[in-house]
Amino acid sequence: MDLGRAYLDAALENFRNMKRTAERAIEQLSLHELHWAPNNESNSIARIVKHVAGNMMSRWTDFLTTDGEKPTRNRDKEFEGGYASREEMMTAWEAGWEKLFQAVGSLEPEDLLKIVTIRTQPHTVVQAIERQVYHLSYHTGQIVYLAKQIRRADWQTLTIPRGKSQEYLENMVNRFGKKDE
């Protein structure tokens, strides 16, 4: 395997993990809770989803041939309103992710140094992917943080529970072999 293929595979795996993490947080909330925001200057999870979906649709449609900021996108509207149902929200969410997975999944290692534009600025494909990794990880963290604040004591942890780090490490050592001393 070459470095380019390894990078593309790692990027796709990171995107899959971000999507799965956000979804596990979203699943814990009602539609009403998905629209809650701590104040007027903050976004609800529903608005974050709306923004992320709009961003991915714009960035990854005709990725190699058109500017990533499509003229049809209205970024400001992504931060207004919400969704009438969980199904409507998740349909938009899935469409954005599908567009990303389709575009990144179709890339070949030789595409990584090609130049694409985002808001008229040139980026290598690597830079564009890394820009998206940064953007989506930022919003995934927001989704998880808001969900945890909403659920409070009823929050179901998405990673290693508090006080269970040593147990987790021991399980990993048993599963994959001895820890280096």
Side-chain angles (χ1 to χ4, degrees):
M1 179 183 297
D2 68 14
L3 180 59
R5 177 55 49 204
Y7 171 76
L8 289 167
D9 291 348
L12 283 168
E13 186 61 23
N14 283 333
F15 286 132
R16 284 187 205 98
N17 287 335
M18 280 182 253
K19 180 179 186 283
R20 189 170 31 253
T21 297
E23 288 171 350
R24 289 180 58 216
I26 289 168
E27 288 169 0
Q28 296 185 45
L29 303 174
S30 69
L31 182 63
H32 175 75
E33 290 169 327
L34 290 167
H35 286 89
W36 176 85
N39 58 57
N40 291 338
E41 292 301 312
S42 297
N43 292 307
S44 67
I45 291 172
R47 285 187 180 165
I48 294 168
V49 166
K50 196 174 187 184
H51 167 62
V52 165
N55 174 273
M56 288 188 289
M57 290 301 290
S58 184
R59 293 290 181 268
W60 298 102
T61 297
D62 302 323
F63 172 66
L64 292 173
T65 58
T66 64
D67 192 299
E69 189 69 12
K70 304 298 183 278
T72 54
R73 182 180 184 205
N74 186 338
R75 184 182 179 279
D76 291 334
K77 287 278 188 201
E78 294 166 6
F79 297 101
E80 297 174 4
Y83 292 97
S85 68
R86 176 184 289 276
E87 292 74 26
E88 179 188 12
M89 184 181 86
M90 295 311 291
T91 296
W93 172 261
E94 289 295 335
W97 282 103
E98 180 57 33
K99 188 61 72 175
L100 179 149
F101 289 135
Q102 184 179 56
V104 177
S106 70
L107 294 172
E108 295 297 333
E110 55 269 19
D111 295 325
L112 293 174
L113 296 179
K114 288 181 178 177
I115 301 299
V116 297
T117 56
I118 301 173
R119 294 191 179 123
T120 73
Q121 297 177 359
H123 294 68
T124 64
V125 168
V126 170
Q127 289 172 311
I129 291 170
E130 288 300 308
R131 180 176 174 153
Q132 191 74 80
V133 168
Y134 170 79
H135 185 245
L136 293 175
S137 63
Y138 174 84
H139 288 305
T140 298
Q142 288 179 318
I143 289 168
V144 171
Y145 183 78
L146 281 169
K148 192 171 183 177
Q149 297 310 302
I150 293 166
R151 298 304 302 155
R152 298 177 187 242
D154 294 328
W155 174 251
Q156 296 171 21
T157 190
L158 306 179
T159 59
I160 303 165
R162 287 183 189 209
K164 299 289 186 176
S165 295
Q166 187 60 40
E167 180 182 327
Y168 179 83
L169 178 59
E170 289 169 7
N171 287 337
M172 295 305 285
V173 168
N174 289 337
R175 185 173 169 195
F176 294 107
K178 198 163 188 121
K179 180 181 152 189
D180 292 335
E181 299 293 326

